[in-house]
Amino acid sequence: MKKTAITFFAAAFLCGAVFAKPEAERPDWVDNWRTIYPDTTYVAQLAKSTGKKGANDAKAEAANTVAQYIKTNVQSELTSTMKTTSGSKKNGRLYTTEERANSQDIKLSVDLALTSLEYTEPWYNKKEKTWYCVAYASREKLYEQYKPTLQNARDKLFAYYEAADKSQEPLSKMIIYMQSSAYEDDFFAAYSFSNILSPSLTAKDFRKDSQYVSSVSAKSSEEKNKCTFAITVTDDAQDSIYQAIKDSLSSEGYAVKNVGSDALYKVKAAVLFSDTALNSLHVVKPSVEISVEGKTAVVFSYAKQGENLKGLNFDIVKTKAAAEIAAQIRESFMKEFNEKMVKSADDDLRKLFSL
């Protein structure tokens, strides 16, 4: 009986071995996925998962790995091509600053790219208790999917360039170029993302555009250098008023030339000191009116009044009044000037874009 039982169990074991489902053969892509999905043709990443949902977890992990790969590479490229851009602060002062592409823009772009992903059939390694999966997408398909986004970013930017070229007012031309920098950021971010998807196709269709945009980045400074100013001030308090205007313009990088030179803009300041007698005192109320004239029209007007100042000696009171007006000019002249120039540039843009 004992011998029969042993024979039975042996037979049962052999039958189980014969009819048990064998482990699926190890796919070639598990070890050679970089060869099967070459980097020149595909965006591909291998992922492993020991998750409870098995094959689905492996596919999700593969997609996440591709997303991280794209984000890391795009951010690296953007960092290496960080550029100087221009803008307008809330206080009206024009300035330059360094900016990077918004990480949210990269996230949205990655989400767009992931819709093109395909997957290998997940494979389970029993010994390791691990699922394997490769997520991959054709670089050509990804590029064709993303190309309209890059094209749109380029067209918006080039519309600003065209508007700047058409503007007849040098100050407006300069500011339109400065305003275009926001669209340069969008273009370079889109270009960087597209370049990660397919360097060859991106270069074929947009490299010349990228090189042109890089060359135009200095246009605002070039136009600003053309905007020169000559200042004249009436009244004998002209020294302090003249210096206040000159310092204000110089603080923004504008060149001030002598009167009678070939300056593009003429700054004319009229200073008034109304004098009212009060017993033996002089009551002086200062005011100033400044106009900035281009070749054909006044592009900016500025007017300010000071507080009443009292004193026995008119000349002393007048000097104090001039100092007060000069202080107001230093505080607000360029702020209002920049705000007016930005508004004028915006008006020019609306007119040009409506044509």
Side-chain angles (χ1 to χ4, degrees):
M1 181 68 182
K2 186 176 181 180
K3 181 178 180 181
T4 304
I6 293 173
T7 303
F8 171 78
F9 285 120
F13 173 78
L14 290 173
C15 288
V18 171
F19 295 105
K21 185 178 180 180
E23 179 178 0
E25 184 179 352
R26 187 181 184 89
D28 191 34
W29 54 259
V30 174
D31 302 307
N32 301 308
W33 64 277
R34 289 191 180 279
T35 301
I36 297 172
Y37 303 102
D39 192 57
T40 54
T41 308
Y42 295 93
V43 172
Q45 292 290 304
L46 172 71
K48 303 177 184 181
S49 174
T50 57
K52 295 180 180 180
K53 295 182 180 179
N56 288 334
D57 281 346
K59 291 177 71 173
E61 183 60 28
N64 288 336
T65 306
V66 169
Q68 191 56 50
Y69 163 82
I70 293 175
K71 284 182 180 180
T72 301
N73 280 273
V74 172
Q75 192 63 61
S76 176
E77 179 156 325
L78 286 171
T79 300
S80 66
T81 57
M82 185 190 295
K83 62 193 180 59
T84 299
T85 60
S86 304
S88 179
K89 285 185 176 178
K90 290 182 180 179
N91 64 5
R93 176 177 166 78
L94 299 177
Y95 74 111
T96 59
T97 186
E98 290 183 335
E99 296 181 356
R100 298 172 188 262
N102 190 306
S103 60
Q104 180 67 13
D105 296 335
I106 296 174
K107 179 182 182 301
L108 293 173
S109 297
V110 171
D111 289 344
L112 174 67
L114 293 184
T115 61
S116 296
L117 279 182
E118 299 180 67
Y119 304 88
T120 59
E121 185 66 30
W123 176 74
Y124 185 65
N125 186 318
K126 289 184 178 180
K127 184 178 180 180
E128 298 176 1
K129 297 181 179 180
T130 301
W131 286 91
Y132 287 79
C133 182
V134 170
Y136 62 94
S138 161
R139 288 187 180 275
E140 183 176 356
K141 288 182 179 179
L142 287 171
Y143 171 77
E144 290 302 328
Q145 181 186 7
Y146 190 72
K147 182 179 178 180
T149 301
L150 176 54
Q151 213 157 17
N152 185 52
R154 180 199 62 187
D155 292 346
K156 284 183 178 180
L157 174 58
F158 277 44
Y160 268 74
Y161 290 162
E162 185 177 354
D165 290 339
K166 288 181 178 179
S167 178
Q168 300 300 309
E169 179 56 56
L171 281 166
S172 291
K173 185 189 293 283
M174 174 200 75
I175 291 171
I176 292 173
Y177 274 123
M178 295 182 81
Q179 291 174 329
S180 74
S181 65
Y183 293 95
E184 287 179 15
D185 289 339
D186 293 342
F187 172 77
F188 280 120
Y191 185 88
S192 296
F193 187 85
S194 181
N195 201 47
I196 294 300
L197 301 181
S198 178
S200 59
L201 293 173
T202 301
K204 175 177 172 289
D205 293 338
F206 295 97
R207 175 176 287 172
K208 289 183 178 179
D209 293 329
S210 177
Q211 291 172 340
Y212 180 71
V213 172
S214 296
S215 69
V216 171
S217 296
K219 276 283 190 180
S220 180
S221 295
E222 291 176 8
E223 294 299 328
K224 192 170 193 175
N225 291 337
K226 296 176 184 177
C227 297
T228 54
F229 298 79
I231 305 168
T232 57
V233 182
T234 62
D235 195 83
D236 56 4
Q238 58 181 321
D239 288 347
S240 59
I241 304 302
Y242 175 91
Q243 196 62 46
I245 298 172
K246 181 180 179 180
D247 290 346
S248 297
L249 290 165
S250 298
S251 70
E252 290 288 339
Y254 293 111
V256 176
K257 293 190 172 185
N258 294 327
V259 175
S261 66
D262 59 348
L264 201 58
Y265 293 96
K266 293 180 174 60
V267 182
K268 298 180 178 179
V271 188
L272 300 175
F273 300 95
S274 64
D275 181 18
T276 303
L278 181 61
N279 298 324
S280 60
L281 297 176
H282 291 278
V283 181
V284 177
K285 188 176 185 65
S287 64
V288 64
E289 293 183 358
I290 303 174
S291 64
V292 180
E293 300 177 2
K295 289 185 177 180
T296 60
V298 173
V299 298
F300 175 64
S301 296
Y302 173 91
K304 285 289 181 288
Q305 283 189 335
E307 298 294 330
N308 288 336
L309 296 175
K310 302 174 183 178
L312 294 172
N313 186 299
F314 174 71
D315 290 334
I316 293 176
V317 177
K318 183 179 176 182
T319 299
K320 291 181 179 178
E324 181 183 335
I325 289 296
Q328 287 197 39
I329 291 171
R330 292 178 189 278
E331 179 181 354
S332 62
F333 177 76
M334 286 311 302
K335 176 180 180 296
E336 293 184 21
F337 177 79
N338 286 333
E339 288 173 347
K340 175 61 167 60
M341 291 303 100
V342 170
K343 183 179 183 304
S344 296
D346 288 342
D347 291 342
D348 285 349
L349 282 172
R350 278 191 288 272
K351 291 176 184 176
L352 290 167
F353 285 162
S354 66
L355 295 178

